[in-house]
């Protein structure tokens, strides 16, 4: 039996899932209760004030604002957060093409107090997609590589469905079954899944590689509405022409 | 230090927070991993199919579908769930004026496997509002009595701001500081809070009773858009004229 439970844990991590409804993006706050050091994953420009207020109220110090990839559907809040919360460093994959204070490589760790997030390269949606896994492998922040019962598109931004399939199978489905999956987006009001569930019920990634490639080639999605504004901005932490 | 952490716990509870974006309603699924018995809190008519699919995939048996109160902003999914998942019982406060299989009183317990939810009457938003607290007091489902940095309105449906203030202070703020607060709604993308935080940062309920009554009397909110449809429907588990 696997389960997802919120609890007050002495050795635990402070954790908050936050939602931005226009782009349906999840932002995640993680912090160490002892040192108060915090990491924010995938902040959105429009919700920076909400996030800063929460960080202040909880008495946290934002150490790193990290993007799972160079987003095409919203402008990142990392640049503005650096201005509002002195000392915050931005981070993104070195394969993203974007600028940041910390350029992440596969196997790197982002530490906050006695906790850490380990970086796994999971390209396919873009070349610079990473999945961030907590040190105890209880939570994985999968960006657009793996969504709940879905996955990110592969028809823009160096997308490659074969690469995405291999990333998910080797880097995410190899995690423990009870590991909680927290994606960058959800469009159906779902907040969390598990490795176990996605290996069993994901309608795309449970298929063979060949079938997956065919599914992804036939999605016929419209061009991302904000891509021409968001990508140039996100290459420089969201501060381009904003 | 308090914290909110998701984890795989052997003795834990399966827990899912689900969102319905039109009414900004949170539905909560709780289940016992051993017996697979489940409880659904505040299901919404429009998302019943999503919820039934998830319950099926997780191999759960829905025992009780419970409403924290007779909602005015959306139609409950309890009646439809009873039709789709045989054996499900509906539950609501006996002070709600609504019909259900189980009429809840203060101090009652809703059990699922080796877990339970304890009923606390928290009137004020309506006469029949309850807060559901897990047996270990780690989570409280507060309906519209206490929202994250807010609270439900008190100008409809037998609302009384003085009663709401007393309910929150005596029945919710008396819980442990680390107890997680899961409300029926959020309009800012926030998913969870704690008793500690609301006692410290709730802009309304940290005030004196006199100031709170004044704040609530001057909100000047429009009439709930769906009240004339939703309330009659919710008095009969959402199955009236649907
Ligand atoms: Fe993306
Ligand atoms: Fe309500």
């Amino acid at each position: 039996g696997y389960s997802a439970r919120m609890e007050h844990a002495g050795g635990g991590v402070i954790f908050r899932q936050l939602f931005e409804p226009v782009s349906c993006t999840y932002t995640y706050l993680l912090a160490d209760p002892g040192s108060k050091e915090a990491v924010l994953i995938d902040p959105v420009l429009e919700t920076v004030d909400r996030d800063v207020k929460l960080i202040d109220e909880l008495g946290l110090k934002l150490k790193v604002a990290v993007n799972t990839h160079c987003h095409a559907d919203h402008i990142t809040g990392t640049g503005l957060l650096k201005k509002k919360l002195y000392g915050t460093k931005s981070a993104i994959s070195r394969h993203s093409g974007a600028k940041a204070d910390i350029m992440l490589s596969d196997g790197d760790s982002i530490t906050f107090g006695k906790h850490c997030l380990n970086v796994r390269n999971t390209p396919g949606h873009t070349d610079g997609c990473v999945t961030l896994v907590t040190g105890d492998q209880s939570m994985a922040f999968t960006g657009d590589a793996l969504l709940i019962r879905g996955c990110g598109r592969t028809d823009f931004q160096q997308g490659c469905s074969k690469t995405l399939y291999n990333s998910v199978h080797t880097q995410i489905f190899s995690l423990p079954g009870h590991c909680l999956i927290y994606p960058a987006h959800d469009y159906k009001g779902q907040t969390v899944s598990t490795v176990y569930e996605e290996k069993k019920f994901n309608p795309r990634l449970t298929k063979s590689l060949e079938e997956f490639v065919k599914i992804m080639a036939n999605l016929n999605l419209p061009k991302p509405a904000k891509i021409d504004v968001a990508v140039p901005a996100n290459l420089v932490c969201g501060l381009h022409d904003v």
Side-chain angles (χ1 to χ4, degrees), chain A:
Chain A
Y2 54 91
S3 62
R5 190 162 109 94
M6 287 281 205
E7 72 173 35
H8 177 243
V13 67
I14 294 169
F15 175 65
R16 291 301 166 89
Q17 184 171 26
L18 299 152
F19 188 63
E20 193 289 307
V22 176
S23 60
C24 290
T25 301
Y26 283 122
T27 298
Y28 299 97
L29 176 66
L30 292 103
D32 175 57
S35 67
K36 306 288 183 194
E37 286 186 346
V39 174
L40 199 61
I41 300 173
D42 287 334
V44 177
L45 184 64
E46 285 79 3
T47 41
V48 160
D49 285 344
R50 174 197 66 190
D51 300 346
V52 167
K53 192 174 181 201
L54 180 61
I55 288 165
D56 280 347
E57 286 179 346
L58 297 183
L60 304 175
K61 182 180 159 31
L62 189 59
K63 192 178 173 191
V64 179
V66 56
N67 278 295
T68 53
H69 64 293
C70 182
H71 300 279
D73 62 340
H74 68 272
I75 298 176
T76 178
T78 51
L80 188 58
L81 278 160
K82 278 170 57 75
K83 294 194 173 188
K84 298 214 172 201
L85 296 173
Y86 183 76
T88 301
K89 291 206 184 309
S90 57
I92 198 163
S93 165
R94 64 174 62 254
H95 305 290
S96 66
K99 286 182 185 162
D101 299 318
I102 303 167
M103 304 304 286
L104 300 169
S105 298
D106 190 75
D108 281 357
S109 285
I110 299 168
T111 61
F112 52 107
K114 59 178 179 170
H115 295 280
C116 73
L117 289 166
N118 296 315
V119 177
R120 293 183 176 211
N121 283 350
T122 49
H125 171 64
T126 76
D127 276 350
C129 285
V130 297
T131 290
L132 302 166
V133 183
T134 55
D136 63 359
Q137 300 199 340
S138 65
M139 305 161 103
F141 302 91
T142 54
D144 286 3
L146 180 63
L147 305 179
I148 299 172
R149 311 294 193 268
C151 64
R153 63 197 295 173
T154 52
D155 54 343
F156 274 95
Q157 294 182 286
Q158 323 100 36
C160 172
S161 56
K162 193 176 164 185
T163 302
L164 180 60
Y165 188 91
N166 288 329
S167 289
V168 172
H169 278 265
T170 64
Q171 301 303 309
I172 302 175
F173 283 178
S174 56
L175 289 164
H178 62 257
C179 178
L180 296 165
I181 299 293
Y182 287 105
H185 302 285
D186 193 85
Y187 307 95
K188 293 182 184 172
Q190 306 164 116
T191 58
V192 67
S193 183
T194 62
V195 167
Y196 167 89
E197 271 172 70
E198 295 310 316
K199 282 169 87 166
K200 200 160 171 183
F201 301 117
N202 190 294
R204 296 177 185 174
L205 285 148
T206 48
K207 300 289 195 296
S208 69
L209 170 59
E210 195 178 40
E211 285 174 284
F212 179 76
V213 169
K214 202 177 287 176
I215 291 168
M216 296 307 287
N218 290 288
L219 294 179
N220 296 313
L221 298 169
K223 183 179 167 185
K226 279 198 170 183
I227 192 168
D228 297 327
V229 177
V231 170
N234 290 338
L235 290 174
V236 289
C237 288
L239 290 178
H240 180 258
D241 284 345
V242 173

